[in-house]
Amino acid sequence: MAILHQLASLHGSFSPSVNSKKVTYDISYRQFPRHLTGLDSLYTVPAMTSKKPTVASSPRAGNGIVVDHSADVLTFTLDNSSHGNEVTGAMFDAMLVELRKEASKPRARVLRIRARGNVFCTGRERAGRTPAAIRRESARLIKFKAALRSSPLITIAEIHGDAFGFGFGLAIVCDFALVAEHASLSFPEMRSGLAPVAILSYLGEYALPRFAFPLVLFGEPIDPHRAQQIGLISQVCPADRLSVEADALVERILRLDPSAVRRCKSFFLNAQQNSFDQNCRHAVDALTKGSLALLARKK
């Protein structure tokens, strides 16, 4: 996990198209019972009334992904709905380019990941047929998740529809995952005889082993309330409120001091990899730097 860390929807604006092609992924396992818990959100995002930034943006579409850089918010919109928003190699590459830019010289403060169509994401493309090609695909997948997890931006996944495999894992690795209450979530890889080791690399940091292992071993879908109960997502929303709740969360983040937010996220991620003694030593340096920055702002 330390190695992973070191490497490491426009839904509110788009309605599902009734003319879209039939998605070809298999969701027959919806026949399994759903485990409703009705657990309330782990946190409450208060209503916000201030206006959004009005800075114009120029979304760049292509290769199944739309990239929009508007003021302090970077948005990735999955736009491969005819294939269940399966993430292709080109989509990975486009998002990695933006994540690396933000890592070296942050322009935005928040990253929103959304999708068009009826589902959020049904997995990733598996085009490789040779050992070398499959290894390249696997390495790119890990690099993307590591870059997303370690990004200085606060990341928000807006899951408006079903999320399977990579799609569900993508939501988990974000700082916040808001999910529409009707969505189905699962890791179905074992049903095809493939151990989902990418998600297993970090799933234990979010859910206890007694919950996490059966989830990947059997691949049965769970509903968002159950996913929230075991610590995999942040908030369950009515479908028509998802974008509004995400907007409010973004606004809440943008009210915080940008430098302090980056330091907070960085220390939080590092602390999960270190021992208590290491974290205590690092805290002295972090508190000193943070206090000096606070004093400088007060002058």
Side-chain angles (χ1 to χ4, degrees):
M1 188 61 222
I3 295 175
L4 175 61
H5 172 59
Q6 290 170 359
L7 288 175
S9 7
L10 287 175
H11 174 62
S13 303
F14 294 90
S15 299
S17 173
V18 296
N19 296 319
S20 60
K21 298 179 182 178
K22 183 180 179 181
V23 176
T24 58
Y25 56 91
D26 179 13
I27 56 172
S28 60
Y29 49 76
R30 273 188 178 277
Q31 61 185 300
F32 289 89
R34 302 178 68 160
H35 308 289
L36 298 174
T37 65
L39 182 71
D40 291 334
S41 174
L42 297 179
Y43 62 91
T44 301
V45 178
M48 303 289 185
T49 57
S50 60
K51 297 180 180 179
K52 301 179 189 177
T54 57
V55 177
S57 62
S58 300
R60 301 193 305 280
N63 298 322
I65 188 79
V66 179
V67 177
D68 183 8
H69 219 307
S70 178
D72 292 314
V73 181
L74 173 65
T75 304
F76 294 159
T77 303
L78 308 183
D79 190 19
N80 188 22
S81 59
S82 63
H83 293 87
N85 282 325
E86 181 182 82
V87 178
T88 66
M91 294 165 71
F92 273 125
D93 289 340
M95 291 187 287
L96 268 170
V97 166
E98 297 298 326
L99 289 173
R100 286 166 176 163
K101 286 180 182 177
E102 294 296 334
S104 61
K105 189 177 181 181
R107 292 189 299 156
R109 295 176 57 192
V110 174
L111 169 63
R112 299 175 73 160
I113 303 180
R114 317 168 101 179
R116 291 177 172 174
N118 295 319
V119 300
F120 175 73
C121 177
T122 59
R124 65 177 178 91
E125 178 185 54
R126 299 177 185 274
R129 292 296 179 268
T130 66
I134 293 172
R135 177 172 287 276
R136 284 194 297 272
E137 284 185 349
S138 300
R140 180 169 52 197
L141 165 68
I142 298 302
K143 287 177 182 178
F144 173 77
K145 286 194 173 182
L148 181 62
R149 175 183 165 93
S150 64
S151 172
L153 310 184
I154 300 299
T155 55
I156 302 172
E158 299 172 42
I159 315 300
H160 74 283
D162 295 347
F164 310 142
F166 170 78
F168 190 12
L170 170 64
I172 292 171
V173 83
C174 285
D175 298 315
F176 295 90
L178 279 59
V179 183
E181 59 189 357
H182 70 276
S184 181
L185 310 168
S186 71
F187 296 109
E189 290 89 339
M190 283 292 288
R191 292 173 175 243
S192 300
L194 179 67
V197 295
I199 181 64
L200 287 171
S201 299
Y202 59 87
L203 186 61
E205 292 194 18
Y206 298 88
L208 294 173
R210 297 299 184 193
F211 294 123
F213 187 60
L215 186 64
V216 295
L217 182 65
F218 299 116
E220 294 180 6
I222 60 173
D223 75 8
H225 291 289
R226 178 61 174 169
Q228 183 186 24
Q229 183 188 46
I230 63 177
L232 297 181
I233 67 170
S234 311
Q235 184 174 347
V236 182
C237 309
D240 60 355
R241 290 283 305 171
L242 180 65
S243 185
V244 173
E245 292 292 329
D247 288 344
L249 178 57
V250 169
E251 191 169 347
R252 191 176 184 183
I253 294 166
L254 294 181
R255 290 178 178 178
L256 302 173
D257 177 75
S259 297
V261 168
R262 294 190 184 102
R263 289 194 298 271
C264 183
K265 177 173 178 177
S266 177
F267 194 91
F268 179 78
L269 290 175
N270 286 323
Q272 295 179 66
Q273 315 304 316
N274 299 330
S275 69
F276 175 76
D277 289 340
Q278 288 175 313
N279 286 333
C280 288
R281 290 195 297 271
H282 294 322
V284 173
D285 291 335
L287 283 170
T288 301
K289 292 177 182 177
S291 298
L292 289 172
L294 184 61
L295 289 172
R297 289 198 302 273
K298 290 182 178 180
K299 289 182 178 180

